[in-house]
Amino acid sequence: MIFNRSQQLFAQAQRVIPGGVNSPVRAFRHVGGTPPFIASAKGAYLYDADGNRYIDYVNSWGPMIMGHAYEPVVRAIQQQAEHSTSFGAPTELEVLMAEQIIRMVPGIDQVRMVNSGTEACMTAIRLARGYTGKNKMIKFEGCYHGHADSFLVSAGSGVATLDIQQVPGVPASIAEDTLVAPYNNLQAVDLLLEAHAGEIAALIVEPVAGNMGCIPPEPGFLEGLQQRCKAHGIVFILDEVMTGFRIAPGGAQQYFGLDADLITFGKIIGGGLPVGAIGGKQAIMSHLAPAGEVYQAGTLSGNPLAMIAGYTLLRELDLNRHIYETLATRTRQLADGLNSEFAKAGVVHQINQFASMLSVFFTEYPVRDFQAAKAAGNELFKQFFHAMLRRGIYLPPSPFESWFVSYALSEADVEETIQAAGESIREVFEHPAGRA
Ligand code: HOZ
């Protein structure tokens, strides 16, 4: 594969953009090498600036659930653009969008649109604090809720990928209000509840973690959190930026039969355009300005292009619910195929799969929390990653990110990926000279 144009662009980018990218994981710092600069994408495939084709397992970190440049979404955006791209004033589309989300996700009374998952989580915490009059919150090691100050403690995603222990610029006075427990560990939560009785405003969790690789919740974990939040008057927040509309039409709230107080959404509800949202119970949501005094605002919030893209995608998902079964089946086929190739090559590994999310960890131990994810064989991951990339398979460039499968991925693509994985793992083991 030739990467000349990407190499040129990366060199050029590093002169004018910090690290050459607009979001850290993209820089390939963890795996090394040059990130392919993407020129276009269609369906299951990405095409880079050198004309290389890749089967995409990043899918813009989740939202491309139907594949890239999905016709109904593209057409809707084109038509809306003719009517202007921003008003900074209310539109009918925002109402339709809120109604659509409320129809699909159980237990939500109201929705506020924002521009990213970060904004959604940041607003959810402010709202929980304003509503309860308390400051502290509980989050889980390796979970990532965007880059607002309060969340950058023991965070996954790029913070874990770059191995940043403490983020400079986050005041200690803010970080100390963030209490951290290991994922899948209710006993640790109980200790925090005891030590900080009456001080905790909110508990936020990724119902299926996707920012320390994919780590599913163990049976009873989410239900246990919800029960403790209700018992202690703590606002229970599900961060569904990754799981929302992906693991089920109504996300984790529906899949696990939960009743969260607030749910945050991102990416997917913009069909790939920049969007986020907070949904939740009226009793809490009514504290947001202008109904209440918890302030939050944005000129681009409810942007018409983002609304039409998201509304079109959500309606398609709502009307074609069979796609969730296909997505899960295809992802299971992928997991089974990878398992068998790694086993044939004698490589110790764990594959965590949940619906259309998946992660490969090169370790013999089950990966159920951040410590286990960090302990998994990262050197092997890097070599495997590059061997796959050379074979046209685009994986997340970090073991701390989940793979995402799209509906555009065919059985033939899955087979191509499994074959590439077999060749890659053999190359890494049998021909060390071929290692990246
Ligand atoms: N933090 C994002 C995934 N969890 C990556 C964002 C990006 O680089 O686009």
Side-chain angles (χ1 to χ4, degrees):
M1 244 180 207
I2 293 170
F3 293 109
N4 292 348
R5 183 70 186 134
S6 283
Q7 275 163 355
Q8 247 172 35
L9 285 170
F10 196 36
Q12 206 178 325
Q14 287 176 82
R15 287 195 285 277
V16 289
I17 303 172
V21 291
N22 282 310
S23 189
V25 180
R26 297 177 199 176
F28 276 32
R29 285 278 168 99
H30 187 83
V31 291
T34 300
F37 275 56
I38 305 304
S40 70
K42 181 72 188 163
Y45 309 121
L46 292 177
Y47 300 89
D48 72 13
D50 290 283
N52 299 308
R53 187 206 83 163
Y54 307 89
I55 299 179
D56 186 14
Y57 288 100
V58 173
N59 280 300
S60 192
W61 310 98
M64 297 307 176
I65 189 165
M66 299 303 286
H68 288 276
Y70 182 54
E71 289 293 338
V73 173
V74 172
R75 268 201 312 275
I77 294 172
Q78 286 167 337
Q79 283 165 11
Q80 178 58 45
E82 302 278 342
H83 301 282
S84 184
T85 54
S86 181
F87 309 115
T91 62
E92 183 177 350
L93 262 175
E94 292 163 274
V95 184
L96 294 175
M97 182 67 164
E99 286 173 350
Q100 183 66 31
I101 293 174
I102 290 166
R103 201 162 33 245
M104 290 178 78
V105 183
I108 289 187
D109 303 320
Q110 292 195 321
V111 179
R112 165 63 57 88
M113 302 304 307
V114 293
N115 299 298
S116 66
T118 288
E119 263 191 63
C121 294
M122 181 184 82
T123 304
I125 287 296
R126 184 181 304 143
L127 180 55
R129 285 173 168 154
Y131 173 69
T132 59
K134 297 169 187 171
N135 285 340
K136 295 203 184 296
M137 67 158 183
I138 296 179
K139 78 174 279 284
F140 293 88
E141 279 175 0
C143 282
Y144 178 75
H145 307 288
H147 61 88
D149 286 350
S150 314
F151 298 122
L152 293 177
V153 179
S154 298
S157 189
V159 181
T161 301
L162 297 178
D163 198 21
I164 298 173
Q165 301 303 319
Q166 213 179 352
V167 179
V170 173
S173 56
I174 289 184
E176 74 197 16
D177 279 334
T178 302
L179 310 172
V180 182
Y183 196 73
N184 275 326
N185 189 331
L186 287 173
Q187 287 76 18
V189 173
D190 285 335
L191 291 176
L192 291 176
L193 293 176
E194 208 179 294
H196 299 277
E199 297 175 338
I200 302 171
L203 179 148
I204 186 165
V205 66
E206 287 179 72
V208 176
N211 286 290
M212 46 179 154
C214 170
I215 301 188
E218 292 188 341
F221 176 59
L222 297 171
E223 296 77 1
L225 295 179
Q226 175 170 294
Q227 179 260 319
R228 283 161 175 77
C229 285
K230 293 216 186 296
H232 292 263
I234 293 170
V235 176
F236 181 43
I237 306 172
L238 286 182
D239 176 344
E240 296 230 44
V241 168
M242 284 182 172
T243 52
F245 307 98
R246 174 162 275 279
I247 66 169
Q253 172 100 322
Q254 176 194 359
Y255 191 100
F256 296 105
L258 298 169
D259 186 31
D261 297 307
L262 296 176
I263 302 183
T264 56
F265 301 104
K267 331 176 198 263
I268 198 164
I269 61 168
L273 269 68
V275 185
I278 310 116
K281 307 288 181 206
Q282 163 130 30
I284 303 178
M285 293 295 286
S286 61
H287 288 255
L288 272 180
E293 292 186 345
V294 177
Y295 199 73
Q296 182 279 328
T299 296
L300 292 171
S301 298
N303 171 268
L305 279 192
M307 290 302 94
I308 196 64
Y311 177 64
T312 305
L313 178 63
L314 294 192
R315 268 175 54 90
E316 291 278 320
L317 296 174
D318 197 7
L319 295 170
N320 298 290
R321 292 177 171 231
H322 62 92
I323 73 144
Y324 288 94
E325 195 43 53
T326 309
L327 277 166
T329 306
R330 202 131 298 158
T331 313
R332 219 171 298 123
Q333 283 168 351
L334 177 62
D336 291 346
L338 294 173
N339 257 322
S340 123
E341 291 298 326
F342 295 150
K344 268 194 265 170
V347 182
V348 292
H349 67 279
Q350 304 287 327
I351 296 187
N352 286 359
Q353 183 230 330
F354 195 96
S356 53
M357 295 167 69
L358 177 149
S359 277
V360 172
F361 297 97
F362 292 110
T363 172
E364 62 189 297
Y365 305 107
V367 180
R368 59 184 292 270
D369 61 21
F370 192 38
Q371 293 311 320
K374 284 203 289 195
N378 287 340
E379 198 47 46
L380 186 49
F381 177 89
K382 292 176 197 178
Q383 293 163 11
F384 177 69
F385 170 85
H386 277 290
M388 291 292 271
L389 191 69
R390 284 195 293 276
R391 287 171 174 79
I393 313 293
Y394 189 82
L395 305 177
S398 162
F400 301 111
E401 301 286 354
S402 176
W403 306 16
F404 293 97
V405 167
S406 84
Y407 190 66
L409 190 80
S410 67
E411 277 193 34
D413 295 325
V414 170
E415 274 161 30
E416 188 179 328
T417 307
I418 293 168
Q419 190 184 333
E423 288 171 14
S424 296
I425 208 72
R426 283 192 294 278
E427 176 188 303
V428 168
F429 273 97
E430 293 164 15
H431 305 289
R435 294 182 185 186

